[in-house]
Amino acid sequence: MEASYLFINKQAGIHKIPEGAMATFQEFIQQNEDRDGVRFSWNVWPSSRLEATRMVVPVASLFTPLKERPDLPPIQYEPVLCSRATCRAVLNPLCQVDYRAKLWACNFCYQRNQFPPTYAGISEVNQPAELLPQFSTIEYVVQRGVQMPLNFLYVVDTCMEDDDLQALKESLQMSLSLLPPTALVGLITFGRMVQVHELGCEGISKSYVFRGTKDLSAKQLQEMLGLTKAAAPQAGRGPQQPQVPSSNRFLQPVQKIDMNLTDLLGELQRDPWPVTQGKRPLRSLGVALSIAVGLLECTYPNTGARIMAFIGGPSTQGPGMVVGDELKTPIRSWHDIEKDNAKFMKKGTKHYEALANRAAANGHIVDIYACALDQTGLLEMKCCTNYTGGYMVMADSFNTSLFKQTFQRVFTKDVQGAFKMALAGTLEIKTSREIKISGAIGPCVSLNAKGPCVSENEIGTGGTSQWKICGLDPNTTLAFYFEVVNQMVLENHHRKIIVSQFAKKQAKITYCHELVRIMFLDQHILLTLKQHS
């Protein structure tokens, strides 16, 4: 059955809209944005590289990978891929299909592909979901290998007032009831020393204590804790398939240690080390985060995990310290930063950047909840959340509704009872030969995947067509920048693929968009536009 279309500006000859669907081109654009979670900087694309160089605003798009679509049912089978090894594009509504010969032509490399036997019954009136226009965004549920549980590692500051600590303990105990029974939970507390609590013990509280002035590598931590290092899966185009560690005493399922961990949290006390008058408490935040990153790096690499750090003040000793323990010496001000007079800033920033890169490389999120009247050094630590897609929350106290409600919203669930979050995601972009990808700006790190669609002109995190996104939620949005390299033709395409680990499943979301928003203007019309500009 042939669909009827209404062409917008037929003389310019570029856009087709299903007849009767909407009245204006603006409504058509808005419908695409609502359906696919994509907004372009230009709805009229340049027709040549020369025209592209004259634009002040670059050709770009904002993309919200997990935009909520209640009307989008997940597809319970594997996607059909292009047979060309260098392409591997996914079957989509923009492909040309020969229903009689059961062949489809890839809209990226023009390779002709045979449909699998399960598609033997398709026809013009019996199309699979991936060929329907309304499914330009589609979600595939792919179950491959071992389904890994979610990991939550709490890193708790004990150098705070009793009221604050009590409120924090109650919030942490509440969060245990919101986690899936199979989720793995760990606990690290820190003050002057750092304690890694062993949760597998019955009837006894056991922890490993580390000095807060000495940083440890992942290998040193592995030897000291007696951990069995998991085999790290290779980063590739498909979903990760990590191996489950044989044993881990520090991360245990909620259903197994719920009561013990609730009691352990309830028994937490303020840091016992005395604080003399005129001094700040010695807080080893940098080492605590380093141990948390190393613990997950050794046990669950390339697996979805959240490190949730709860901070009651600035780090005052060891790697990552941002201020000394003397109260008469204030934390760096804006003038100190401007005059390059911030004593601890460069070393502290370097320490946290190294931790952020390690966590991001393994797909682990770092959340920071800083609740204190004093500054806590978020400037030095901002890379931890920026690189990993974590949350950064600042409040006056853990006893405020701002913190309690924000913390609870992290565990929001959908109608199916699954978390509205995805972890350890991989995003890939493919383009047709007329455009190349310059880079991305957002909570992502490069996977250094080179290819013909990668531009030499980098914007943001560039030089790659694949990125790792450690944490995603329905509001996570990234910006992608493109370069026009050849003369545009009427049909140009690009595709975004997201592979993420969800609470109950692994999902693959493919977004295909047809870049037909190209206005071919003759010289007369172009001259008229210049005269009126």
Side-chain angles (χ1 to χ4, degrees):
M1 179 178 178
E2 287 288 330
S4 58
Y5 292 92
L6 174 66
F7 282 85
I8 300 296
N9 196 337
K10 291 185 178 181
Q11 184 175 0
I14 59 126
H15 227 312
K16 57 184 181 180
I17 301 176
E19 189 172 358
M22 58 215 63
T24 67
F25 183 68
Q26 183 178 358
E27 291 179 4
F28 175 71
I29 297 300
Q30 185 62 48
Q31 185 192 64
N32 283 344
E33 292 180 359
D34 294 340
R35 183 184 66 232
D36 299 318
V38 175
R39 170 172 291 180
F40 285 91
S41 59
W42 294 93
N43 290 323
V44 178
W45 284 66
S47 60
S48 66
R49 185 173 185 176
L50 178 61
E51 287 188 12
T53 59
R54 295 172 179 170
M55 296 191 307
V56 177
V57 179
V59 178
S61 71
L62 295 175
F63 180 40
T64 305
L66 296 190
K67 181 178 175 62
E68 294 182 283
R69 285 278 306 277
D71 61 324
L72 181 65
I75 305 301
Q76 303 289 336
Y77 52 81
E78 295 283 336
V80 178
L81 305 179
C82 176
S83 58
R84 180 167 292 178
T86 56
C87 178
R88 307 300 288 170
V90 180
L91 178 65
N92 61 81
L94 307 178
C95 295
Q96 295 182 357
V97 178
D98 185 341
Y99 291 100
R100 292 185 178 180
K102 298 297 184 288
L103 296 172
W104 62 279
C106 175
N107 54 330
F108 288 92
C109 68
Y110 307 109
Q111 171 80 11
R112 290 175 64 84
N113 304 278
Q114 189 78 38
F115 277 104
T118 53
Y119 285 67
I122 65 171
S123 64
E124 289 87 343
V125 295
N126 184 27
Q127 298 178 347
E130 54 264 48
L131 290 179
L132 299 177
Q134 63 267 31
F135 287 100
S136 56
T137 292
I138 193 167
E139 179 178 346
Y140 293 93
V141 178
V142 288
Q143 298 287 353
R144 297 175 181 171
V146 180
Q147 182 63 39
M148 299 298 293
L150 301 180
N151 297 271
F152 295 87
L153 182 54
Y154 296 152
V155 181
V156 181
D157 180 7
T158 56
C159 296
M160 61 179 75
E161 297 297 327
D162 290 330
D163 292 344
D164 255 12
L165 184 59
Q166 182 61 33
L168 175 58
K169 292 191 294 186
E170 291 174 358
S171 294
L172 295 178
Q173 290 171 332
M174 174 275 300
S175 69
L176 296 180
S177 63
L178 302 177
L179 298 178
T182 57
L184 303 182
V185 184
L187 177 64
I188 295 175
T189 58
F190 68 94
R192 185 169 183 170
M193 300 291 184
V194 180
Q195 297 185 58
V196 183
H197 295 267
E198 185 174 325
L199 303 179
C201 298
E202 291 288 343
I204 185 174
S205 297
K206 184 179 178 181
S207 63
Y208 288 72
V209 182
F210 297 88
R211 290 171 54 189
T213 56
K214 182 181 180 181
D215 197 8
L216 298 172
S217 66
K219 185 176 181 181
Q220 289 175 318
L221 186 67
Q222 179 186 348
E223 294 173 354
M224 291 181 177
L225 297 180
L227 298 172
T228 303
K229 188 172 178 63
Q234 299 296 321
R237 298 175 182 270
Q240 303 289 351
Q241 299 183 28
Q243 300 296 319
V244 179
S246 57
S247 64
N248 186 357
R249 309 182 307 278
F250 306 99
L251 289 159
Q252 292 285 314
V254 173
Q255 59 189 1
K256 182 178 178 182
I257 50 111
D258 187 11
M259 294 300 296
N260 290 341
L261 184 54
T262 300
D263 294 340
L264 179 59
L265 290 171
E267 294 169 0
L268 287 181
Q269 302 294 325
R270 288 183 61 183
D271 188 46
W273 292 88
V275 180
T276 58
Q277 188 174 3
K279 299 276 190 178
R280 293 186 178 90
L282 294 177
R283 185 179 282 108
S284 310
L285 172 59
V287 173
L289 281 178
S290 177
I291 291 176
V293 171
L295 177 60
L296 290 174
E297 189 177 4
C298 292
T299 53
Y300 292 96
N302 287 321
T303 304
R306 296 195 88 101
I307 298 172
M308 311 181 83
F310 304 90
I311 306 167
S315 178
T316 53
Q317 77 163 1
M321 65 182 296
V322 297
V323 67
D325 63 343
E326 293 283 349
L327 279 174
K328 64 181 181 182
T329 306
I331 195 171
R332 78 283 180 276
S333 65
W334 181 83
H335 294 288
D336 294 327
I337 298 171
E338 185 185 30
K339 296 176 182 178
D340 196 21
N341 195 29
K343 181 179 179 181
F344 304 103
M345 184 174 175
K346 288 185 178 179
K347 286 186 178 179
T349 303
K350 183 178 179 181
H351 175 74
Y352 292 115
E353 281 186 351
L355 294 182
N357 284 319
R358 287 171 56 190
N362 287 282
H364 301 151
I365 307 168
V366 179
D367 296 333
I368 297 176
Y369 300 90
C371 296
L373 293 173
D374 193 8
Q375 294 188 59
T376 56
L378 293 180
L379 177 62
E380 288 83 355
M381 294 185 287
K382 66 177 183 179
C383 53
C384 292
T385 55
N386 289 348
Y387 292 3
T388 65
Y391 300 124
M392 180 180 283
V393 178
M394 183 172 61
D396 295 338
S397 168
F398 287 107
N399 205 20
T400 60
S401 58
L402 172 64
F403 164 73
K404 293 179 179 179
Q405 294 175 10
T406 303
F407 182 54
Q408 191 168 356
R409 287 187 63 181
V410 175
F411 305 97
T412 303
K413 299 179 180 179
D414 58 20
V415 293
Q416 283 83 28
F419 283 139
K420 289 185 177 181
M421 69 170 79
L423 298 87
T426 301
L427 186 146
E428 178 185 5
I429 292 184
K430 284 187 177 292
T431 64
S432 53
R433 63 190 65 178
E434 293 80 16
I435 53 177
K436 290 187 177 183
I437 175 71
S438 296
I441 293 179
C444 60
V445 292
S446 172
L447 287 178
N448 298 315
K450 307 296 182 180
C453 62
V454 177
S455 171
E456 295 180 357
N457 300 320
E458 296 185 15
I459 299 179
T461 306
T464 181
S465 60
Q466 294 183 32
W467 296 263
K468 176 169 285 188
I469 310 175
C470 302
L472 289 158
D473 63 38
N475 295 317
T476 301
T477 300
L478 299 95
F480 296 96
Y481 296 85
F482 303 95
E483 179 187 9
V484 178
V485 293
N486 293 314
Q487 180 73 31
M488 284 285 193
V489 296
L490 184 60
E491 293 186 356
N492 299 278
H493 313 88
H494 82 285
R495 174 189 72 173
K496 298 183 178 77
I497 294 179
I498 300 288
V499 183
S500 305
Q501 177 184 342
F502 289 81
K504 290 187 177 180
K505 59 181 180 295
Q506 290 187 347
K508 186 172 187 176
I509 301 175
T510 302
Y511 167 73
C512 293
H513 189 81
E514 184 178 13
L515 303 185
V516 295
R517 303 173 184 175
I518 309 155
M519 195 69 73
F520 293 104
L521 304 175
D522 58 37
Q523 293 299 318
H524 173 72
I525 299 177
L526 189 60
L527 180 62
T528 304
L529 289 174
K530 287 182 179 179
Q531 290 175 347
H532 285 82
S533 61

